């Protein structure tokens, strides 16, 4: 493990220390043209030129640490046992898991889904099983003669679609959306959707009501359809802004009018589906599509907002404002999921953690950046997807939970805790043979306001729940990843 020592407070001011830490040998900054496009009525107009700070992280030297997680010792750190271990139903278990309270008792249930795959990059939800926390089955739905494994989101979500205070399970099955009563699995209603428009479901507020009662469905990369809660088509858009769709469109009220705009990929749509803006050509030149989209900072005006967006296949991650202007970007690697938090209170701003995919097993980086995109540290992992940030010890500083590693990592190259995931009897079978990929989610399982850790595998085997006893009570949608609009990206 290589580390860099911080200068002491007697050597320089915080600003000078920070400037010294990021010398040109660590990250080279270049500037490119930053033209973006915004829609004004039916006409597109230039957003205007801007300098975009760009860093190639494939060539960057981390300022703090560069270490493989297998080289980090387990001695002296806590080993956390699971609070609950739930073997999933052997006939219905799937790699997709969402967690939320379906019975109204304040405790969560575990929802697992399988997916039918009739063609490449086409899939739909085929079956659902719901488990109580004691492992018993609450209800089942659908035909489980389908695939357990996944490499994508499955269109199965938990949401109070009706606004009656009780959650439903909403799925995009083959050419239809089905709304199921959360407590019983009874079908409440369904409506038709186009063929292959079952890649994911995203809830949003397009109508300006008091809650997100509208929904988006989409094909894998080509087209989005917006519906209200009872299935009336509101609009549809193919190739938003001329580019592929995001894996999961991101609803956000950019202008404060009470209705969501949709970051649909490399473009943003107004609530009525018209084009609001698209990224500058320079940002999209490498192709690909939007993977993860996060709201990094809110603000009263679009100019004040900040969004993080990763480009799958484009080897790029952008920090944007709410008008689609690129503030800075990093390039050179296949960035996928990104989260942010307070990982080190000694550093100004918040830190960013992004995983890098499509690398050989055992050589997949998990990167820690400052909020200007400068590389602080690099963990090399067996598999870097997925990760989440959580203040597990209640210290005010977040730690990184890496799914495959099943450990908490900090912003200084150290392992802080490890988590045991004993495989229960009967959890392995023909449908989940081979290497298991471990996934991590944050959900308030116990109803105490703290994000608990939920681990599952792909293909599906079991679910391990680690109850947060000391962690901060932080259920912000920017942090909590379930149950609303759950995504692997």
């Amino acid at each position: 493990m290589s580390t860099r020592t911080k200068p002491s407070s007697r050597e320089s001011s915080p600003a000078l220390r920070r400037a010294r830490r990021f010398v040109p040998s660590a990250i080279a900054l270049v500037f490119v043209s930053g033209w973006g496009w915004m829609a004004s009525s039916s006409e597109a107009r230039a957003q205007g030129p801007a300098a975009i700070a760009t860093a190639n992280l494939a060539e960057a030297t981390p300022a703090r640490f560069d270490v493989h997680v297998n080289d980090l010792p387990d001695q002296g750190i806590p080993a956390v046992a699971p609070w609950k271990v739930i073997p999933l139903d052997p006939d219905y278990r799937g790699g997709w898991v969402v967690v939320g309270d379906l019975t109204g008792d304040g405790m969560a249930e575990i929802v697992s889904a399988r997916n039918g795959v009739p063609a490449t990059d086409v899939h739909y939800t085929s079956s659902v099983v719901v488990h109580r926390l004691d492992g018993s089955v609450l209800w089942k739905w659908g035909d489980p003669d389908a695939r357990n494994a996944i490499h994508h989101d499955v269109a199965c979500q938990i949401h109070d679609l009706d606004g009656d205070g009780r959650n439903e399970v909403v799925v995009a099955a083959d050419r239809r959306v089905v709304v199921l009563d959360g407590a019983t699995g009874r079908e409440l209603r369904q409506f038709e959707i186009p063929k292959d428009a079952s890649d994911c479901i995203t809830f949003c507020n397009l109508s300006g009501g008091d809650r997100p009662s509208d929904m988006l469905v989409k094909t894998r990369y080509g087209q989005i359809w917006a519906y209200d809660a009872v299935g009336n088509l509101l609009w549809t858009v193919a190739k938003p802004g001329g580019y592929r769709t995001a894996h999961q469109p991101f609803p956000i009220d950019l202008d404060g009018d009470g209705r969501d705009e949709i970051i649909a990929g490399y473009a943003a749509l107004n609530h009525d589906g018209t084009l609001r803006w698209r990224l500058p050509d320079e940002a999209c030149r490498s192709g690909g599509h939007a993977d993860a989209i996060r709201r990094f900072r809110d603000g009263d005006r679009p100019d004040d907002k900040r969004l993080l967006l990763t480009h799958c296949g484009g080897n790029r991650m952008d920090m944007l404002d709410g008008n689609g202007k690129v503030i800075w970007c990093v390039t050179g690697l296949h960035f996928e999921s990104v989260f942010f938090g307070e990982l080190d209170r000694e550093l100004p701003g918040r830190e960013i953690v992004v995983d890098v995919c499509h690398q050989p097993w055992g050589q997949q980086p998990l990167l820690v950046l400052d909020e200007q995109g400068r590389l602080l540290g690099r963990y090399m992992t067996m598999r870097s997807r997925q990760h989440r940030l959580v203040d597990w010890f209640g210290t005010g500083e977040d730690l990184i939970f890496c799914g495959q590693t099943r450990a908490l990592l900090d912003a200084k190259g150290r392992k802080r805790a490890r988590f045991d995931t004993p495989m229960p009897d009967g959890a392995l079978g023909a449908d989940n043979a081979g290497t298991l990929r471990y996934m991590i989610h944050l959900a308030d399982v116990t109803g105490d306001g703290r994000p608990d850790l939920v681990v599952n595998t792909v293909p599906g085997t079991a679910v391990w729940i680690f109850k947060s006893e000391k962690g901060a009570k932080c259920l912000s949608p920017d942090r909590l990843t379930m149950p609303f609009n759950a995504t692997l990206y």
Side-chain angles (χ1 to χ4, degrees), residues 115-124 147 151-152 196-199 218-222 244 247 289 489:
N115 62 123
V117 186
T120 301
D121 279 335
V122 176
H123 62 95
Y124 57 84
R147 190 173 68 172
H151 67 275
H152 45 67
D196 303 339
S198 48
D199 184 63
K218 59 183 281 289
T219 61
R220 185 66 174 158
Y221 297 116
R244 287 179 161 192
H247 281 308
H289 55 271
Y489 298 100

Side-chain angles (χ1 to χ4, degrees), residues 225-403:
W225 290 262
Y227 294 92
D228 66 15
V230 296
N232 295 311
L233 180 65
L234 303 177
W235 49 260
T236 182
V237 172
K239 290 289 183 72
Y243 298 104
R244 287 179 161 192
T245 63
H247 281 308
Q248 188 188 66
F250 185 76
I252 178 173
D253 184 1
L254 292 173
D255 54 16
D257 68 350
R259 297 176 295 191
D260 284 332
E261 284 71 45
I262 305 298
I263 313 298
Y266 294 164
L269 306 176
N270 292 307
H271 72 275
D272 60 1
T274 56
L275 180 65
R276 186 178 183 90
W277 51 254
R278 62 180 173 86
L279 293 183
D281 293 340
E282 176 68 27
C284 307
R285 187 168 296 167
S286 299
H289 55 271
D291 239 12
I293 306 167
R294 303 279 185 267
R295 179 179 60 184
F296 183 81
R297 188 178 79 198
D298 205 354
D300 294 334
R301 304 176 306 156
D303 290 354
D304 301 325
K305 299 180 190 294
R306 293 292 182 268
L307 303 168
L308 282 165
L309 184 148
T310 61
H311 299 233
C312 178
N315 287 8
R316 178 182 174 112
M317 179 171 67
D318 294 327
M319 178 72 82
L320 309 171
D321 73 5
N323 290 319
K325 176 184 175 182
V326 181
I327 308 301
W328 57 255
C329 77
V330 291
T331 63
L333 296 168
H334 190 114
F335 307 105
E336 291 239 356
S337 292
V338 60
F339 290 95
F340 57 87
E342 183 60 86
L343 275 74
D344 189 338
R345 286 176 292 183
E346 295 179 3
L347 296 178
R350 292 175 293 180
E351 289 68 54
I352 297 166
V353 182
V354 60
D355 52 52
V356 176
C357 197
H358 298 277
Q359 302 292 322
W361 188 267
Q363 302 175 43
Q364 298 188 18
L366 186 63
L367 306 181
V368 182
L369 316 176
D370 76 355
E371 69 173 47
Q372 301 303 319
R374 294 172 289 204
L375 184 61
L376 294 173
R378 175 168 50 220
Y379 287 106
M380 197 64 73
T381 73
M382 302 306 292
R383 180 177 181 272
S384 59
R385 289 182 48 76
Q386 276 76 27
H387 73 278
R388 297 291 187 265
L389 305 186
V390 61
D391 180 5
W392 182 254
F393 295 112
T395 63
E397 288 187 337
D398 292 314
L399 297 168
I400 309 161
F401 192 107
C402 180

Side-chain angles (χ1 to χ4, degrees), residues 420-447:
D420 296 330
T421 52
M423 187 63 67
D425 293 340
L428 296 175
D431 65 327
N432 54 27
T435 301
L436 296 174
R437 292 172 286 152
Y438 285 80
M439 321 296 279
I440 174 63
H441 317 281
L442 298 185
D444 183 13
V445 176
T446 64

Side-chain angles (χ1 to χ4, degrees), residues 125-147:
T125 304
S126 57
S127 67
V128 176
V129 61
V130 178
H131 285 270
R132 302 179 182 92
L133 293 180
D134 64 5
S136 61
V137 171
L138 181 63
W139 54 261
K140 301 176 183 179
W141 171 89
D143 181 1
D145 185 15
R147 190 173 68 172

Side-chain angles (χ1 to χ4, degrees), residues 4-7 14-24 26 61-64 346-348 370 375-376:
R4 296 190 179 191
T5 304
K6 271 190 173 182
L16 286 175
R17 292 201 306 272
R18 192 164 182 81
R20 289 174 183 172
R21 185 178 298 125
F22 300 106
V23 294
T61 300
R64 282 189 163 189
E346 295 179 3
L347 296 178
D370 76 355
L375 184 61
L376 294 173

